[in-house]
Amino acid sequence: MITVLFGGSRPEGNTAQLTKSAVEGLDYKWIDLTDYQFNPVRDFRHENRDITSYNDDYKQVIDQVLESDTVIFASPVYWYSVSASLKAFIDHWSETLIDDNYKDFKEKMAKKDFRLILVGGDCPKVKAKPCITQMKYTLDFIGAELNGYIIGTAERPGDISKDTFALERAKEWNETLA
């Protein structure tokens, strides 16, 4: 099962279009992270306190991720990083790491096929590199790895249709994920 964690602010925007071409015709679950509420992360690592519950939508989303074989992070490049909604979701992993209900969190995450789709308008093939490094370090911390990424170039609505290289890579992903 493929889960797409979509962090864009436009459900039919360039990032969504590129991502949908990568999963077209496949069995996938699309999670628009902007439809979910993620509260600020509670950092109890040094307070000898446990986390056993979440007062937002995080548990629902992380449980879906943990059931998946492939997870595709999809985000526009916002200020040289992934979107706030995607980052807020990932920040919650700090809580999961100390939640007794998820003792096997790292083990399960290490088995996932993680991929990343980024779309930006200001030289993204260069300026999105920090996003890729950020995701590689994040996944490395939990024992997982980033198995591929696509960077699309698009400034205005519909511009992604002009990025034939990114669309070709999405098509390749579609064939390998089938």
Side-chain angles (χ1 to χ4, degrees):
M1 148 92 70
I2 300 168
T3 296
V4 174
L5 296 175
F6 177 70
S9 58
R10 291 184 296 128
E12 300 303 322
N14 290 305
T15 303
Q17 290 174 36
L18 181 58
T19 305
K20 286 178 181 175
S21 56
V23 296
E24 184 179 359
L26 304 176
D27 181 25
Y28 67 92
K29 173 139 177 102
W30 185 275
I31 297 177
D32 185 337
L33 294 172
T34 63
D35 291 339
Y36 295 83
Q37 175 64 42
F38 301 111
N39 292 334
V41 173
R42 301 162 291 174
D43 186 355
F44 295 157
R45 292 173 298 161
H46 310 290
E47 296 180 25
N48 216 12
R49 292 170 62 187
D50 294 329
I51 289 181
T52 56
S53 65
Y54 301 88
N55 298 320
D56 60 11
D57 298 323
Y58 173 73
K59 185 174 177 357
Q60 177 184 350
V61 178
I62 194 60
D63 287 348
Q64 173 63 41
V65 166
L66 290 170
E67 292 176 16
S68 304
D69 301 308
T70 299
V71 178
I72 299 173
F73 301 109
S75 177
V77 179
Y78 289 135
W79 292 102
Y80 314 103
S81 186
V82 296
S83 68
S85 57
L86 180 55
K87 181 71 168 77
F89 170 73
I90 292 170
D91 283 349
H92 273 287
W93 293 1
S94 296
E95 294 179 340
T96 310
L97 288 167
I98 61 170
D99 183 340
D100 282 343
N101 296 309
Y102 294 94
K103 287 182 188 266
D104 57 355
F105 177 68
K106 280 185 161 184
E107 180 182 301
K108 285 185 174 181
M109 293 293 268
K111 296 175 183 173
K112 308 286 174 219
D113 173 19
F114 285 104
R115 296 167 184 241
L116 175 64
I117 294 177
L118 298 167
V119 176
D122 182 20
C123 302
K125 296 203 176 13
V126 173
K127 295 182 178 179
K129 296 284 186 187
C131 295
I132 296 162
T133 303
Q134 172 188 18
M135 296 306 292
K136 283 182 177 181
Y137 286 154
T138 297
L139 293 169
D140 183 59
F141 187 83
I142 61 168
E145 65 182 74
L146 184 62
N147 292 320
Y149 62 87
I150 301 171
I151 301 173
T153 302
E155 181 74 35
R156 305 197 45 75
D159 278 357
I160 198 64
S161 64
K162 300 173 192 169
D163 188 340
T164 55
F165 181 77
L167 290 168
E168 185 60 35
R169 293 275 294 131
K171 182 179 175 186
E172 290 171 10
W173 276 21
N174 186 276
E175 291 169 2
T176 62
L177 291 170

